Amino acid sequence: AALVPALLDAARARTDLRPQALALAGARGLWLARLNPEWRFALRGAAGGTGELPDPADGEAVTRLWEEGLFAERVALLGAVRARDAAAATRLLGTTWATERAEDRLMFLDSLRTGLSMADEPFLEAALGDRSRNVRATAAELLSALPESALAGRMAERALACVGPDAVEPPAECDAGMLRDGVVERPPAGRGERAWWLGQVVDAAPLSCWRDRFGGLDPAEIVALPVAGGWAEEIHAAWCRAAVRQGDAEWSKALLGAASAPPAAGPGTASLAERAKLLETLPEGERAEWVAEFVRAHGLSEAFQLLGVCRVPWAGALGRAVVDALDAARVAGGYPWSFSGVMGLAERCLDPAEAGRLEVLTAGVAGLPEGGSGASAYWAEAFQRLLATLRLRAAMLTELTPPP
């Protein structure tokens, strides 16, 4: 019982925890909530004071909570309404938009990323004139993720005027129209103004506009072309951002290139952080296959960020590639702490079915005499810990699986 106040504090800060936390707190939690205004969220919602959000279809309850609720409750409510009826969420937001604080408008606007569609364009286009620079920038970003939007069309016109098969000519100035469409005028330290403007214009243009500009070539062929004037890095980086924002798997695959190729020779980017973002646009199966090939070709030293975007558990080719790469690192004389990040991920993400293959490796390592590198005992311990975790996870899955 002494932990109930801490439980209510946690539920106050984390809307997603509330239904479970309040069920655990029970009647004692509701009694405490009546004594502390900071816990009044527990008294809202369904009968019995469960603290749950109202049914998004209950217009009266939704309106009441939207107008009277705490900020965290309103954010959660907007998300719930958005999940049921995207257009209804935009209408709800519009009822109080003019009176919201700038920081709240920004958070609410960010919730429109889920279910974003052309139905949101009028609201977002109006937000381009917002008094807050951050709100204007977010509205422009969301509109640029809609290739059919008017903003995307304006950006395409600007981008096509700058980039062609034979020449690249960055914008000469950042005019009022560009500013309204979200182009940031002042570059960060070390960046030239015109290069900065060019990158923003190109990454906000719909990727579909480039096929005609480059004579009907597909994305892989376009990315492979030389870029005039030494602008390749700038243009490719902008295309990477556009592919992520627009969720374009075909362009992402073109910019990633072959997983077996050296990262520095990547057609679009050598940055592992950018590659991880591009991978997230691919279907889960293709993503796992690409990362498995990368691990087989380059080992695990550069694979941590890439593995982090793969669906768990790591099964099939990806699971085998990770286990084989760990064994290869052991044979090469490295130390397991050089791969501590991957080892930690593997404990949580490897398919427990890989325990059998790891058991063979563990037995083999444990039986080896101490080598010149002094690493064998450390690898034996690391493999045994990983194996124990996989066995525990397998046992948990067995216990949690309902009988047929």
Side-chain angles (χ1 to χ4, degrees), residues 44-45 54 58-69 77 92:
R44 299 182 185 275
D58 186 344
E60 183 178 348
V62 166
T63 300
R64 183 168 60 250
L65 183 57
W66 179 250
E67 294 177 350
E68 300 175 2
L77 176 65
L92 181 66

Side-chain angles (χ1 to χ4, degrees), residues 289-308:
E289 290 174 7
W290 197 95
V291 176
E293 185 179 349
F294 184 94
V295 169
R296 287 193 295 267
H298 309 295
L300 293 169
S301 58
E302 295 184 307
F304 180 77
Q305 286 177 291
L306 307 181
L307 287 165

Side-chain angles (χ1 to χ4, degrees), residues 103-248:
E103 54 267 36
D104 294 350
R105 293 199 306 276
L106 184 62
M107 185 68 75
F108 291 140
L109 198 60
D110 199 60
S111 71
L112 300 186
R113 296 180 189 278
T114 301
L116 184 67
S117 73
M118 284 297 293
D120 300 310
E121 185 188 21
F123 183 87
L124 294 172
E125 186 73 26
L128 292 176
D130 195 271
R131 56 188 181 274
S132 165
R133 183 182 66 182
N134 290 333
V135 171
R136 294 195 302 270
T138 301
E141 180 191 349
L142 292 172
L143 284 167
S144 67
L146 296 170
E148 303 299 321
S149 69
L151 179 139
R154 296 191 294 269
M155 286 299 195
E157 185 176 348
R158 296 177 181 120
L160 294 173
C162 294
V163 181
D166 304 314
V168 175
E169 185 63 33
E173 62 175 340
C174 186
D175 58 33
M178 291 168 63
L179 289 172
R180 184 179 184 277
D181 285 343
V183 175
V184 178
E185 184 175 16
R186 298 187 62 180
R191 293 288 302 277
E193 279 187 339
R194 297 183 70 194
W196 173 242
W197 301 334
L198 175 66
Q200 293 178 80
V201 166
V202 172
D203 74 31
L207 289 163
S208 57
C209 75
W210 299 111
R211 187 180 293 271
D212 288 340
R213 185 62 165 146
F214 287 90
L217 298 180
D218 64 31
E221 293 169 327
I222 294 172
V223 170
L225 291 174
V227 179
W231 290 100
E233 184 175 350
E234 193 74 49
I235 298 299
H236 286 172
W239 281 340
C240 286
R241 294 192 298 271
V244 171
R245 187 180 301 172
Q246 297 171 35
D248 193 308

